[in-house]
Amino acid sequence: MKHSRHARLSRLEQALDAGVLEERQLAVRALLGSPLIPSSDFRHATIRKHAEWIRNWFSRHAEWHLTVTSEAARLRKTPADPADGTRPCRRPKTGTPLTRRGYVFLCLALATLVRADRQTTLGTIAREIGSHLRAEPRFAQAGMQSELDNRDDRRELVGAIRLLIEWGVLARVHDDEERFVRDRDADALYNVNRPVLSRIMAATNPPSLVDSEEFEERLGSIGELRFDDSDEGRFRRWRISMFRRLLDDPVLYYDTLAPDERAYLDRQRGSILQAIEEATGLVREVRAEGIAMVDPTGKLTDY
């Protein structure tokens, strides 16, 4: 009788452990695919439940910092390769990539919302963006029109606004953006979620403190990690880089590594891959040319 009860308790503990592991993997995978998850997303509750464990895991292995509040979960995930342009932001309705002009509108909209009241309108955002465009001559040199008289420009702005709605930065109160595309005088009303807005920036180093002028240098500098010039510092830098590449790409080719990095990976490959597999549910595929972390469900793949 005692043996039977002990066996039942053991099976129950195993089932509970498996349930916790599955929930954590789902939460980690959600954040890898969507680093900003508003509270309206059903996945937010699971992330909040396991926030401490997930926060410690990402901080230890990838130096990515997680903030979880009642409004949103935000993983400050900087890309392993800042020059990788293969995964752009996509418009929520159409799935089409945001253009360079759309990215300008997105950034200027964020700059406008930082100084906005708790409620704002699409027309107000558009006017403030126009002021930003007129204030910087390089926008005009690049062909950016400040009055948004062109329907294509208004469509690009609407694409950026809908991204902010999807992220939970804005909440639509009245009307819709589609009329604005057809009619410059149409409007829509939004609530501004300041706690989410304040966590949009994922840079390791504030852009205002970066001295570089060239775009590529600035892009690299805002996400740069600094380590001691010691064996321990180099090992830490290599390890974090490999975790980020396998979590973010997720293929690591051996010929992209320096000889000392490759030697470190050969020594640490087992522990690195095991940690990723346990936290994400991804499965290692080790070949002669490199390592891939494969998603057997197909749900973690990008567009």
Side-chain angles (χ1 to χ4, degrees), residues 130-265:
S131 298
H132 288 305
L133 293 173
R134 288 189 293 272
E136 174 51 66
R138 282 179 288 188
F139 285 127
Q141 295 168 11
M144 298 286 293
Q145 302 297 319
S146 61
E147 300 306 321
L148 297 178
D149 291 328
N150 186 294
R151 179 177 288 198
D152 289 339
D153 282 349
R154 294 198 296 274
R155 185 175 290 108
E156 293 288 353
L157 174 57
V158 165
I161 294 298
R162 285 176 173 162
L163 265 176
L164 295 177
I165 294 172
E166 184 178 70
W167 293 342
V169 175
L170 294 176
R172 192 185 294 112
V173 176
H174 179 69
D175 223 321
D176 186 77
E177 304 81 34
E178 196 59 40
R179 289 177 56 242
F180 176 77
V181 176
R182 301 189 298 270
D183 180 3
R184 176 69 175 79
D185 295 324
D187 215 342
L189 178 66
Y190 308 102
N191 288 333
V192 181
N193 191 330
R194 293 204 160 276
V196 178
L197 173 63
S198 67
R199 292 183 172 87
I200 286 291
M201 181 70 72
T204 305
N205 305 304
S208 59
L209 300 181
V210 174
D211 296 327
S212 306
E213 293 293 332
E214 294 297 325
F215 175 74
E216 288 77 10
E217 292 181 2
R218 288 187 62 83
L219 194 61
S221 296
I222 61 175
E224 182 182 11
L225 290 172
R226 296 179 176 86
F227 298 92
D228 294 335
D229 187 17
S230 63
D231 287 344
E232 184 178 351
R234 284 190 294 274
F235 295 158
R236 177 70 174 156
R237 182 176 71 250
W238 295 340
R239 188 177 183 87
I240 289 172
S241 173
M242 291 166 192
F243 265 96
R244 286 185 174 186
R245 292 174 67 174
L246 289 167
L247 289 169
D248 205 36
D249 288 338
V251 180
L252 194 160
Y253 291 100
Y254 294 140
D255 61 10
T256 63
L257 300 175
D260 48 3
E261 290 177 298
R262 172 65 191 278
Y264 176 82
L265 177 59

Side-chain angles (χ1 to χ4, degrees), residues 5-302:
R5 187 166 62 178
H6 179 76
R8 288 199 301 271
L9 288 173
S10 178
R11 287 195 296 271
L12 178 60
E13 289 175 355
Q14 290 174 1
L16 289 173
D17 289 343
V20 169
L21 178 63
E22 183 179 6
E23 285 188 344
R24 287 174 177 173
Q25 288 179 350
L26 289 172
V28 169
R29 291 155 68 94
L31 288 164
L32 289 174
S34 305
L36 175 59
I37 297 182
S39 57
S40 56
D41 191 309
F42 71 94
R43 300 172 296 180
H44 179 268
T46 304
I47 294 168
R48 196 171 185 185
K49 178 180 178 182
H50 299 283
E52 183 176 359
W53 185 91
I54 300 170
R55 184 184 299 112
N56 291 337
W57 192 90
F58 275 123
S59 177
R60 175 186 175 190
H61 293 300
E63 283 284 354
W64 289 337
H65 301 291
L66 173 67
T67 302
V68 182
T69 66
S70 58
E71 289 86 12
R74 176 59 162 135
L75 178 65
R76 292 173 56 194
K77 182 168 80 77
T78 50
D81 178 8
D84 180 8
T86 62
R87 287 171 291 182
C89 287
R90 295 184 179 273
R91 295 179 181 87
K93 278 197 172 183
T94 65
T96 54
L98 217 61
T99 64
R100 293 179 70 87
R101 190 177 298 256
Y103 276 112
V104 171
F105 287 141
L106 178 62
C107 292
L108 293 181
L110 288 167
T112 296
L113 292 174
V114 167
R115 294 184 290 273
D117 295 329
R118 294 181 63 183
Q119 282 195 328
T120 190
T121 66
L122 181 53
T124 299
I125 295 172
R127 286 191 295 274
E128 289 296 319
I129 287 177
S131 298
H132 288 305
L133 293 173
R134 288 189 293 272
E136 174 51 66
R138 282 179 288 188
F139 285 127
Q141 295 168 11
M144 298 286 293
Q145 302 297 319
S146 61
E147 300 306 321
L148 297 178
D149 291 328
N150 186 294
R151 179 177 288 198
D152 289 339
D153 282 349
R154 294 198 296 274
R155 185 175 290 108
E156 293 288 353
L157 174 57
V158 165
I161 294 298
R162 285 176 173 162
L163 265 176
L164 295 177
I165 294 172
E166 184 178 70
W167 293 342
V169 175
L170 294 176
R172 192 185 294 112
V173 176
H174 179 69
D175 223 321
D176 186 77
E177 304 81 34
E178 196 59 40
R179 289 177 56 242
F180 176 77
V181 176
R182 301 189 298 270
D183 180 3
R184 176 69 175 79
D185 295 324
D187 215 342
L189 178 66
Y190 308 102
N191 288 333
V192 181
N193 191 330
R194 293 204 160 276
V196 178
L197 173 63
S198 67
R199 292 183 172 87
I200 286 291
M201 181 70 72
T204 305
N205 305 304
S208 59
L209 300 181
V210 174
D211 296 327
S212 306
E213 293 293 332
E214 294 297 325
F215 175 74
E216 288 77 10
E217 292 181 2
R218 288 187 62 83
L219 194 61
S221 296
I222 61 175
E224 182 182 11
L225 290 172
R226 296 179 176 86
F227 298 92
D228 294 335
D229 187 17
S230 63
D231 287 344
E232 184 178 351
R234 284 190 294 274
F235 295 158
R236 177 70 174 156
R237 182 176 71 250
W238 295 340
R239 188 177 183 87
I240 289 172
S241 173
M242 291 166 192
F243 265 96
R244 286 185 174 186
R245 292 174 67 174
L246 289 167
L247 289 169
D248 205 36
D249 288 338
V251 180
L252 194 160
Y253 291 100
Y254 294 140
D255 61 10
T256 63
L257 300 175
D260 48 3
E261 290 177 298
R262 172 65 191 278
Y264 176 82
L265 177 59
D266 288 342
R267 295 194 304 270
Q268 299 295 323
R269 183 173 62 192
S271 65
I272 291 174
L273 300 185
Q274 182 179 353
I276 293 175
E277 285 180 333
E278 290 178 351
T280 65
L282 297 175
V283 179
R284 73 184 78 182
E285 185 170 311
V286 181
R287 297 191 176 186
E289 66 271 24
I291 304 170
M293 298 305 299
V294 180
D295 178 18
T297 69
K299 295 180 180 179
L300 194 58
T301 57
D302 62 12

